[in-house]
Amino acid sequence: MHAIPWIDAVRTGRLGAAGLSVIGTLSLWLPGAAHASNFRVSPVTLTVPANRPIGSLTITNSDSAPVSIKVATYRWTQVDGKDVYTPTDDLIASPPIFTTAAGAVQLIRVGLRHKVTTAVAYRVVLQEIPAAVTTGVAIAVNLNMPLYVVAGPAAKASVQWSARRTADATVLLEGRNSGDAPQQVLAIGRTDPGAATPTVLSSTMGVVLPASMRQWNIGKHADWTPGVPLRLTIRTATGVDEITANLSAG
């Protein structure tokens, strides 16, 4: 398991169809002046077919100064419902390190060294190399991008949901993906009888990888009875799914 400090492309910055803009925002509390780069990355997610596992990222430097970036790659798996990141040389990034001039554009190509026959996931981390400053603080931005290798355009996620109580009475919602594509979850809610809108249980975004399980902590809810089905809404990147999950005692 590997801990990496980063800004996640699906959570931070100005995210839109054109890509992700990353701008340092820590000057409000850092002593003295803070210096951070302003650059745009597109796309924010790479999905490539197993028969041609090569993708590309475009970096646009909107700053008035050059930005230097190093590319690091990690294998992304899920163990016991949690994300695990392991440094890997499965991927080739070209160029692996570069400097983009002010107002310039840099293309990065990322591909697998070896062919794969099953769906796999990686993280491509763009690590800014901070420029030397004579005053203030330089803020280095690390941007974490998902890269999915899938069988082809017909690949789909198939997630089954269940809920259980832990020893401390916390309810964990588990999504198990038996499909061959990832499922990105944006929010989880409960549909109560007679309620006009679902009650939000979790706004923690996450992904259920193929042939994997991910967990969400959705609170204690002492009034929920084991064995009684829960009517839930799962908001994903492609829409809203209404599902029923049985709550087990543990």
Side-chain angles (χ1 to χ4, degrees), residues 104-127:
V105 175
Q106 173 71 51
L107 181 69
I108 309 170
R109 295 195 181 278
V110 184
L112 264 68
R113 294 179 184 272
H114 312 290
K115 289 185 178 181
V116 295
T117 57
T118 59
V120 291
Y122 297 91
R123 305 299 296 202
V124 178
V125 182
L126 306 182
Q127 302 175 335

Side-chain angles (χ1 to χ4, degrees), residues 10-59:
V10 298
R11 302 190 186 191
T12 308
R14 292 201 294 266
L15 180 58
L20 177 75
S21 289
V22 180
I23 304 174
T25 58
L26 303 185
S27 56
L28 295 177
W29 61 271
L30 284 173
H35 306 273
S37 297
N38 175 4
F39 60 89
R40 180 180 295 274
V41 183
S42 179
V44 296
T45 298
L46 288 174
T47 301
V48 298
N51 62 350
R52 194 176 183 275
I54 301 173
S56 61
L57 296 169
T58 300
I59 311 296

Side-chain angles (χ1 to χ4, degrees), residues 146-164:
L147 185 151
Y148 304 114
V149 182
V150 298
K156 293 183 178 180
S158 179
V159 180
Q160 293 76 45
W161 296 91
S162 62
R164 64 181 178 86

Side-chain angles (χ1 to χ4, degrees), residues 143-190:
L143 180 63
N144 179 350
M145 318 287 294
L147 185 151
Y148 304 114
V149 182
V150 298
K156 293 183 178 180
S158 179
V159 180
Q160 293 76 45
W161 296 91
S162 62
R164 64 181 178 86
R165 285 196 187 277
T166 63
D168 66 353
T170 297
V171 178
L172 292 180
L173 185 66
E174 298 181 348
R176 295 181 180 272
N177 188 356
S178 59
D180 53 5
Q183 174 84 287
Q184 184 182 25
V185 175
L186 305 178
I188 298 168
R190 183 186 180 191

